[in-house]
Amino acid sequence: MDEKYEEYLLEDAYVKINKTGDRVNNIAFACYFLFGCIIAFQYGTFKIAFGVGGLCLAMYYGTKFLLPKSSFYQYIGSVIVALFSAQFIYQMHGMFEMHFFVFIGATLLIAYQNWRLQLPNIIVVVIHHGIFAYLQYKGNAEIYFTQQTYMDLETFLFHGALAAVVVLICGYWAYILERKTKREMFIKAGVLQQVNNIRHNIEFADAISQGNLAAIYTIMDDKDELGKSLLKMQASLTIAQKKDMQDKFMTLGLAQMGEILRNSSDIQSLSYEIISHMVKYLKANQGGIFILQDKESDPYLELTACYAYDRKKYLKKRIEIGEGLIGQVVLEKDTIFLTDIPNDYVHITSGLGKANPGCILIVPLKLNDEVEGALELASFNVFEKHEIELVEKLAESIASAVSATRTNENTKKLLEELKQQTEMLRSQEEEMRQNMEELAATQEEMERRQAEMEEMRIEEVTRLQNRIKELEGQLKV
């Protein structure tokens, strides 16, 4: 329970108690003053009635006026109760019954519920009675302490003891009432505190039910078990919500990347789509993707795409295996995450330009222990654990897509080469066919010419034979 709140309630209660006590004592002091004036007609003590009575009232109301925020006037009132009793005794020339006004005054002071107010009353009474009794019995008859002809010490002490008992009882009742008031205020404060806690808890529960898990709640009482339970519930729901958001973040990231990978065509465009999406999705500042080239003969890493500050970057970069952090990641096939970035990091190992980031994440593109490249992301905000896990999961899918795309590209290249070879073979076959046709035509022409030549030769031989025969005939003649 808040002690200040309890003090506030107690102070408020005593404001009301003091008002009640003031009202009672205002009436009592007015009656005291009027009573003094009335008996003054009988005994001719007007100066005492108006002088002492007026002085008492002036002391009481003057103190109250000068010290409005102090309770000192109540102690003055306690003194005045005793002084009025002494005044009445003197006015009535020692009438002993006037001593009972002391008891009446002690009873009136109970209204303030402050046992300490009985002390000034009994102290003044003891001093007054002691001094005036002593003076009267020393021969000063006008003191008028008592009208009795005798008052020994034993009787005086007995009367004083009775007065002390009455004052003690009144003080005790004031103490009991004070404790009761404090206990009631304590209980009231507890009840009000519980009501405030319940209202506070209801407001907090409503905020949580509406999905506002960031609502600020402060336990107002260490004994507020419901509030503690609500805080535990808030913590549990916050953890559950955070996990749910992380799961959705992972699921959506994998789904979106899967869509990108399914629509991949070539390594260059695939690399750009991958790195631009990841930089945006992870709210990073820049990123680059490095693909392993010439795996069989002379392997090296080539920067196939770079995206920084919402813009595509056209950079050319070649990194050897084992060179810098990127080459080291590919060589060791393990993730590197740096948050303490040296000022000269970008000049030594980074493939992302000259900006000095807050954290660097380099993940190998690995599938079945086979590395296809590396992915480097830089951000001014430190990546959370689930974001790193997402990148590592995406790296496997990217490696698979890169491998498939590389295979498709190789297959497409082989098909293109096969097509070119087929076209070449077709061209060569056509050329050979044409050559064969030309050769056949030439051969036919040669055969025709050979036949013609043969005919000509036969004709020539026949002509020569006929000529020979003609010559032989002429010779015979």
Side-chain angles (χ1 to χ4, degrees):
M1 186 188 306
D2 191 349
E3 293 182 359
K4 292 184 178 179
Y5 186 64
E6 182 183 346
E7 291 176 0
Y8 168 77
L9 290 176
L10 189 61
E11 182 179 351
D12 183 65
Y14 266 95
V15 168
K16 297 176 181 178
I17 291 171
N18 289 336
K19 287 182 178 179
T20 302
D22 290 347
R23 186 165 56 251
V24 170
N25 282 282
N26 286 338
I27 295 172
F29 291 158
C31 293
Y32 272 39
F33 183 77
L34 290 175
F35 181 76
C37 294
I38 291 171
I39 62 178
F41 285 98
Q42 177 69 25
Y43 294 95
T45 53
F46 289 102
K47 291 183 179 180
I48 298 298
F50 289 101
V52 177
L55 181 62
C56 288
L57 294 180
M59 289 173 56
Y60 177 77
Y61 290 107
T63 304
K64 192 174 183 180
F65 176 77
L66 294 174
L67 301 172
K69 295 183 179 180
S70 174
S71 61
F72 184 66
Y73 73 93
Q74 296 175 7
Y75 292 90
I76 297 297
S78 177
V79 172
I80 288 172
V81 167
L83 292 178
F84 268 118
S85 176
Q87 173 189 324
F88 298 154
I89 293 171
Y90 187 84
Q91 279 189 264
M92 300 184 73
H93 297 254
M95 188 174 181
F96 195 75
E97 286 74 12
M98 294 300 102
H99 291 220
F100 286 100
F101 273 95
V102 175
F103 306 145
I104 294 173
T107 306
L108 292 173
L109 292 174
I110 296 175
Y112 288 110
Q113 298 186 15
N114 184 0
W115 64 270
R116 299 170 190 84
L117 294 179
Q118 304 293 335
L119 296 178
N121 182 19
I122 192 64
I123 291 173
V124 172
V125 167
V126 169
I127 293 174
H128 164 265
H129 281 47
I131 294 174
F132 277 50
Y134 175 78
L135 292 176
Q136 184 173 354
Y137 284 98
K138 282 294 183 179
N140 193 344
E142 294 182 355
I143 291 299
Y144 300 132
F145 174 69
T146 179
Q147 294 179 358
Q148 296 179 3
T149 56
Y150 68 94
M151 174 67 73
D152 57 15
L153 181 60
E154 182 179 355
T155 303
F156 178 79
L157 292 177
F158 182 75
H159 282 77
L162 288 177
V165 169
V166 172
V167 171
L168 181 63
I169 292 174
C170 292
Y172 176 73
W173 275 108
Y175 174 73
I176 293 297
L177 290 173
E178 179 183 11
R179 288 193 58 185
K180 181 182 178 182
T181 299
K182 289 183 178 179
R183 183 168 59 252
E184 289 177 351
M185 290 304 102
F186 180 81
I187 294 172
K188 182 179 180 181
V191 172
L192 291 176
Q193 185 70 44
Q194 290 180 0
V195 171
N196 289 334
N197 287 343
I198 292 172
R199 186 184 298 111
H200 192 48
N201 292 339
I202 291 173
E203 292 175 356
F204 182 58
D206 287 341
I208 292 177
S209 66
Q210 294 173 6
N212 183 16
L213 296 180
I216 298 175
Y217 178 80
T218 304
I219 294 180
M220 302 176 66
D221 189 352
D222 292 337
K223 297 180 181 179
D224 184 10
E225 298 299 329
L226 178 59
K228 294 178 181 178
S229 298
L230 286 174
L231 280 177
K232 290 180 181 178
M233 181 181 70
Q234 182 192 34
S236 299
L237 290 175
T238 301
I239 293 173
Q241 184 188 55
K242 184 177 180 180
K243 188 177 185 305
D244 183 59
M245 292 177 63
Q246 290 177 357
D247 291 342
K248 288 181 179 178
F249 179 82
M250 297 280 286
T251 303
L252 183 61
L254 291 171
Q256 291 180 352
M257 183 57 68
E259 186 68 23
I260 292 173
L261 297 180
R262 279 193 294 272
N263 297 327
S264 62
S265 57
D266 58 83
I267 295 291
Q268 200 71 33
S269 61
L270 174 64
S271 298
Y272 172 71
E273 292 296 330
I274 289 172
I275 199 63
S276 62
H277 172 74
M278 292 190 69
V279 168
K280 294 176 182 177
Y281 192 75
L282 294 170
K283 294 181 176 59
N285 300 100
Q286 50 190 351
I289 185 167
F290 299 81
I291 302 300
L292 190 61
Q293 306 291 347
D294 294 340
K295 297 173 65 175
E296 302 299 332
S297 57
D298 183 21
Y300 66 92
L301 292 167
E302 181 183 6
L303 178 65
T304 54
C306 182
Y307 190 86
Y309 304 101
D310 296 328
R311 291 185 180 181
K312 184 177 182 179
K313 301 295 181 180
Y314 297 93
L315 301 174
K316 290 184 179 180
K317 195 169 187 70
R318 171 176 172 147
I319 297 178
E320 303 299 330
I321 304 300
E323 178 186 355
L325 293 180
I326 298 172
Q328 198 69 25
V329 164
V330 173
L331 183 65
E332 297 179 357
K333 303 178 182 180
D334 197 10
T335 299
I336 289 180
F337 179 59
L338 298 175
T339 54
D340 187 13
I341 313 299
N343 292 328
D344 59 349
Y345 168 79
V346 293
H347 301 294
I348 300 174
T349 58
S350 176
L352 302 179
K354 296 183 179 180
N356 197 45
C359 72
I360 292 290
L361 176 63
I362 308 175
V363 180
L365 303 179
K366 183 175 62 174
L367 179 66
N368 297 328
D369 206 41
E370 187 71 21
V371 178
E372 296 291 340
L375 180 71
E376 184 177 22
L377 292 169
S379 176
F380 293 119
N381 300 318
V382 178
F383 292 121
E384 296 186 17
K385 184 178 180 181
H386 69 279
E387 293 176 323
I388 297 175
E389 291 178 358
L390 174 62
V391 175
E392 290 178 337
K393 287 185 178 180
L394 291 176
E396 297 180 5
S397 301
I398 294 171
S400 177
V402 168
S403 178
T405 303
R406 194 198 300 273
T407 301
N408 292 337
E409 286 184 348
N410 291 335
T411 302
K412 190 183 294 185
K413 185 177 179 181
L414 290 175
L415 288 174
E416 188 66 29
E417 290 178 357
L418 180 59
K419 183 179 178 181
Q420 291 178 359
Q421 290 177 0
T422 302
E423 291 294 330
M424 186 180 295
L425 288 175
R426 286 178 181 176
S427 176
Q428 291 177 354
E429 183 180 359
E430 180 65 23
E431 185 178 352
M432 288 180 65
R433 187 184 63 77
Q434 291 177 359
N435 291 336
M436 289 295 293
E437 289 179 353
E438 292 177 359
L439 182 61
T442 303
Q443 187 176 2
E444 289 179 357
E445 180 66 24
M446 289 179 66
E447 289 178 353
R448 186 180 62 78
R449 289 183 179 182
Q450 187 177 3
E452 290 177 353
M453 290 178 67
E454 185 64 25
E455 289 178 358
M456 290 175 63
R457 186 183 66 77
I458 292 173
E459 289 178 356
E460 184 67 25
V461 170
T462 301
R463 189 180 65 77
L464 288 174
Q465 286 178 352
N466 291 332
R467 180 68 178 163
I468 290 172
K469 286 179 179 182
E470 288 177 0
L471 289 175
E472 286 179 353
Q474 289 177 2
L475 289 175
K476 286 178 179 183
V477 176

